[in-house]
Amino acid sequence: MLKKFKGFTFLLMLMTFAIVAAACDASGGSSVDVGIVLPTKDEPRWVQDEQRFKDALADSDYSTEILFSQGSSAKEKENVEALLNKGIKVLIITPHDGAAAASAVEAAKKEGVTVIAYDRLITDTDAVDYYVTFDSLAVGAAQAQYLVDNAKGSNAPLYLYAGAASDNNAFLFFEGAWQVLQPKIADGTFKIANSSEAEALKDSADLSRDQLGKIIGQITTNWDSNEAKNKAQTHLTAASDDLKGDVLILAPNDGTARSIADVFGSDSAITSYFVTGQDAEKASVQYIIDEKQSMTVFKDVRSLVKDAMGMAVEILDGKTPETTGSYDNGAVEVKAKQTNVIVVDKDNVKSELIDSEYYEASEFTGIE
Ligand code: BGC
């Protein structure tokens, strides 16, 4: 009896070993619970998200892996497939292109993986389970309000720039901004300096997605600081004298804001400019201290990471994550958890970014 049992145990051990070995083999040697795919390492915003994920995961019980797509939907799909091969149960993904990412997340869904869109929505597919995001309409509205608050007199030249049309957020940011700017364009506070498409729609308070697309298509930076710089140069070269002097600039994020600011700052016919941003990137915080960029919209990535990982852990534990609303992605209403944003300029940069321990004072010059 004892002998038999021993033999059976040994057989069982052998079988278990074989199964584990096969599983390890199929997954390239290690298995991962949560896969995280971020769009590019070329922008500080996403490198920061990576770091904040690493900080938050330091003592997690679940294993994670972070991959970057380097601005390519093909690379993004490969990344998702690599993570699927490692047996992920949850995918947290910021798409490079919101529509093109549908096929990658559909592949994940087929494997029974729960998909969380992180910061950028994936559009026109039902293969997205959750969306963790900042309040992107509020980002655009805050940028626009800053320009309204700082415009003097009437017919103040207003330069408009937008993000990439492949990013759903670019629509939300611009829509939020337009709701605040449009009445002030209509009442003659602002004069649009660089967009015939926006000019043609200046009497419409609410824009359809197609109308937004027309304006964004004309003033897009593609989230690329070089493209932003070239566009700003072209606009200033074409601008008549009445579109120079004291100007206001809607720049969609910090990377583009700095390069647009450099162009406007070196034109002697520009007497003053206000320029917006978002992300509170370190380089822009320094620009704000140095009065080269007027404001940024601070999106505390620590909260977004906490929400995304909190959701992932609940899913892994077999629970249903809490959500606070939903976003229509063109195919379904995606359940969402949303985080608020904070306007930062020279007056509150220390209290919001240093006192909150987001950054250290020693990372900047001119701040105590
Ligand atoms: C993000 C911004 C970022 C931009 C460019 C947007 O989707 O919300 O924070 O600056 O993409 O990467």
Side-chain angles (χ1 to χ4, degrees), residues 325-337:
S326 69
Y327 274 76
D328 181 353
N329 80 340
V332 283
E333 285 285 327
V334 183
K335 288 190 217 106
K337 182 135 197 242

Side-chain angles (χ1 to χ4, degrees), residues 26-46:
S27 67
S30 60
S31 86
V32 174
D33 299 311
V34 183
I36 301 167
V37 178
L38 295 174
T40 179
K41 267 199 175 181
D42 295 340
E43 291 174 43
R45 158 73 216 262
W46 304 109

Side-chain angles (χ1 to χ4, degrees), residues 43 45-46 119-120 167 169 173 223 253 278-279 299:
E43 291 174 43
R45 158 73 216 262
W46 304 109
D119 193 289
R120 294 181 182 167
D167 177 2
N169 285 348
F173 300 145
W223 293 134
N253 74 347
Q278 77 166 299
D279 293 335
K299 309 201 299 189

